[in-house]
Amino acid sequence: QVQLVESGGGLVQAGDSLRLSCAASGRAFSIYTMGWFRQAPGKEREFVARVIWTGEGTYYADSVKGRFTISRDNAKNTAYLQMNSLKPEDTAVYYCAAAAYSGGTYDFQYGYWGQGTQVTVSS
């Protein structure tokens, strides 16, 4: 089993930055892909970004490309999501997810999930 704990959410103004963290524990060595998803009120959960645990590849949703950066620190078993130039439409609960293989943009590809952290961007 893998446990994931997100942190770093909060209330910010449009244009501000936030960095989310996702700490993995348990069988963290089995993680191959770490992803971030988000769910806004009344909307379905959507893919944001993902990184291969070895750092070989990152992929972003078009809506965040150029503003968000996903990264990982293997020594700390932690993934990060640096969010810059935040917009009100970025407001959502952000979830990190882990897969033991090459995960993509679909939530069913990830077997482990954190509890989520709220990000609210005011205009």
Side-chain angles (χ1 to χ4, degrees), residues 39-81:
Q39 187 167 21
K43 295 187 177 181
E44 294 186 353
R45 187 162 55 188
E46 65 175 1
F47 169 79
V48 175
R50 73 104 168 101
V51 61
I52 301 299
W53 203 236
T54 57
E56 295 171 352
T58 58
Y59 187 76
Y60 299 91
D62 287 343
S63 58
V64 306
K65 200 173 296 182
R67 299 188 298 121
F68 291 11
T69 302
I70 189 171
S71 62
R72 87 284 174 265
D73 184 332
N74 289 8
K76 296 182 178 180
N77 287 331
T78 300
Y80 304 96
L81 186 68

Side-chain angles (χ1 to χ4, degrees), residues 1-15:
Q1 289 290 330
V2 174
Q3 293 79 44
L4 303 174
V5 179
E6 303 100 333
S7 61
L11 171 63
V12 296
Q13 293 185 332

Side-chain angles (χ1 to χ4, degrees), residues 4 30-37 45-50 52 59 96-113:
L4 303 174
S30 66
I31 296 174
Y32 187 78
T33 307
M34 187 75 82
W36 286 96
F37 290 76
R45 187 162 55 188
E46 65 175 1
F47 169 79
V48 175
R50 73 104 168 101
I52 301 299
Y59 187 76
C96 74
Y101 49 88
S102 183
T105 63
Y106 297 99
D107 55 7
F108 66 78
Q109 295 175 306
Y110 296 80
Y112 304 102
W113 291 84

